[in-house]
Amino acid sequence: MTGREQALEDRFHSALKRDAAHAPDWMTRWDYQRIVKKRKRKAEEDVIDDFTRFGGAADLPRWMDWFRNDYPDYIADHRIANLTAASHKNDAHILKVLGQPFKEEHYDKRVGLNNAHDHLIPQLLPVPERNKLRTVLDFGAGYGRQANLWTTQDPGLCYVGMDAIVNSYCLQHLYYEALAQGPVNDYIDDPANFRFSPGTAGIHHIPTWRSDLIPDNSVELVLCVQVLPELNAKLVRHMLAEFHRILRPGGALYIRDHAYWWKPTGSFDVERHLAGHGFDLAFKAHVIDQTDIHGIPRIWRKSDPRVIAARTRTLKHKIDQVVVNIDTLTGGGFKRTVRKLKGKQ
């Protein structure tokens, strides 16, 4: 690891120590990886097996190797092909900047395809102008791969990466810097003076334990890809409440994981929790996991009081319906009688 990379890891630990009051153990751990370690399961060759330490930029291609199989693509059209090609180009550049090998042979059907899906699917459904994307939060951002397309296909977007694990957070920092056309606004670089303004174009990097820095009702989309089932229930409950706080009314929570069968850290029912805590299910792909696509995409929306009110029948609506029903029963006689009475006035 280079001196620059060691300094990056030191800044992460320094920020975590500084913010100890904000960062209880349950908020800063990756429970699934703890379970794997206790089972003493050996990782496949060239794949990271210890996320509690940072090995520098060399960890990036090793993390990419977690995509071990070619994945199915149930969309399979020019939009996916174009996004995969763009992702390919960006990652080739990033790895070159970081002095790391780029394994191109399987990229498009693994990393590239996942990047394309997670950029396209959250935007497939039309939305009102008030819900147009301006600020996107990527929670549990892995090595930072979502930034690949979200920041280059939508250059005016405010992208926020969020994590609490040293390996992933530091890799995200390197990935963002190699990708960005401008400076990266990273909390750990200067915690005392860090400021975040939603809607400000560019890449912003915030540790999970400082989600309080994101204002209420300021985000249009939260991404949670293959992350929630791997965390402890206390952290998931906390973050779902935070997502509800920071999302604008009508804002989207995009989840893609294995939904029903992959719950390695417990049996917490995310969907039941969301349905009872201010979210509406807007979309769930009618697909076979692992056959049509890797993981089941869902889009939940923070309930918008205006939308809820529009669904509610007012007293006027009810009276109008009674009038229609009576007029129907009388063969139109009721309204003819009303018109005649009004004509005599």
Side-chain angles (χ1 to χ4, degrees):
M1 188 161 63
T2 67
R4 173 173 171 264
E5 292 166 342
Q6 182 61 61
L8 173 60
E9 183 178 18
D10 291 344
R11 292 200 303 278
F12 175 89
H13 287 299
S14 176
L16 180 56
K17 182 178 180 180
R18 175 184 185 272
D19 296 336
H22 291 274
D25 174 69
W26 56 265
M27 186 181 286
T28 59
R29 68 176 192 247
W30 187 353
D31 285 51
Y32 172 58
Q33 290 302 319
R34 287 191 173 194
I35 291 170
V36 170
K37 194 171 184 179
K38 285 182 179 179
R39 291 168 57 195
K40 298 181 180 179
R41 196 177 85 182
K42 189 175 179 62
E44 298 181 59
E45 187 179 357
D46 295 330
V47 171
I48 297 174
D49 60 0
D50 183 3
F51 293 87
T52 63
R53 53 171 295 278
F54 177 49
D59 282 347
L60 179 55
R62 296 176 65 209
W63 190 309
M64 287 182 169
D65 276 348
W66 274 99
F67 295 86
R68 305 299 286 186
N69 304 297
D70 291 354
Y71 293 120
D73 176 17
Y74 87 117
I75 299 175
D77 65 19
H78 70 281
R79 293 169 297 177
I80 290 294
N82 290 343
L83 289 170
T84 299
S87 177
H88 185 125
K89 180 179 179 181
N90 291 336
D91 272 345
H93 166 76
I94 289 167
L95 287 161
K96 182 177 180 180
V97 168
L98 295 176
Q100 300 301 317
F102 180 40
K103 301 178 182 179
E104 296 189 70
E105 183 181 356
H106 300 292
Y107 179 90
D108 288 357
K109 292 184 178 181
R110 298 182 185 182
V111 177
L113 183 60
N114 275 270
N115 286 352
H117 282 158
D118 293 329
H119 183 263
L120 177 62
I121 295 174
Q123 302 184 81
L124 282 175
L125 300 179
V127 296
E129 180 62 33
R130 63 180 178 272
N131 295 136
K132 295 293 184 183
L133 297 183
R134 300 171 184 83
T135 301
V136 172
L137 170 69
D138 180 15
F139 175 69
Y143 62 78
R145 70 178 182 85
Q146 300 286 5
N148 181 315
L149 293 176
W150 282 103
T151 65
T152 58
Q153 297 295 304
D154 311 272
L157 196 71
C158 175
Y159 170 89
V160 184
M162 180 173 285
D163 217 301
I165 309 301
V166 61
N167 181 278
S168 49
Y169 196 97
C170 292
L171 271 184
Q172 289 159 24
H173 182 100
L174 296 180
Y175 189 92
Y176 296 158
E177 283 196 333
L179 172 69
Q181 301 299 312
V184 176
N185 183 28
D186 198 321
Y187 175 83
I188 69 169
D189 287 341
D190 188 4
N193 296 304
F194 179 85
R195 298 291 182 272
F196 171 66
S197 298
T200 304
I203 298 176
H204 308 265
H205 203 193
I206 301 175
T208 303
W209 64 84
R210 291 312 313 266
S211 63
D212 62 295
L213 294 170
I214 302 177
D216 296 359
N217 304 310
S218 64
V219 174
E220 285 78 34
L221 173 64
V222 173
L223 306 170
C224 290
V225 178
Q226 304 292 1
V227 60
L228 296 179
E230 300 189 4
L231 305 177
N232 65 80
K234 188 170 184 178
L235 176 54
V236 175
R237 287 178 185 274
H238 173 80
M239 292 313 303
L240 293 181
E242 280 294 274
F243 299 156
H244 189 272
R245 178 184 67 79
I246 67 176
L247 280 168
R248 296 183 187 276
L253 171 58
Y254 169 74
I255 300 174
R256 183 168 65 84
D257 52 40
H258 302 296
Y260 311 111
W261 60 271
W262 178 244
K263 296 184 177 183
T265 60
S267 57
F268 182 76
D269 192 328
V270 169
E271 305 212 347
R272 178 177 294 181
H273 183 88
L274 289 171
H277 290 80
F279 285 89
D280 286 345
L281 180 62
F283 169 77
K284 179 185 287 186
H286 192 69
V287 294
I288 302 172
D289 189 10
Q290 308 283 52
T291 298
D292 301 317
I293 188 174
H294 180 65
I296 300 175
R298 291 96 76 200
I299 298 174
W300 291 80
R301 290 199 175 273
K302 177 180 174 178
S303 298
D304 187 332
R306 292 167 293 182
V307 175
I308 301 302
R311 297 174 184 170
T312 305
R313 294 177 71 203
T314 65
L315 179 59
K316 182 180 183 304
H317 291 148
K318 293 176 182 178
I319 292 173
D320 289 345
Q321 186 62 57
V322 170
V323 171
V324 169
N325 292 344
I326 295 173
D327 196 51
T328 301
L329 288 172
T330 61
F334 180 74
K335 284 197 173 181
R336 285 196 298 272
T337 301
V338 171
R339 285 196 294 271
K340 286 180 182 179
L341 291 173
K342 286 184 176 180
K344 292 179 180 180
Q345 292 178 356

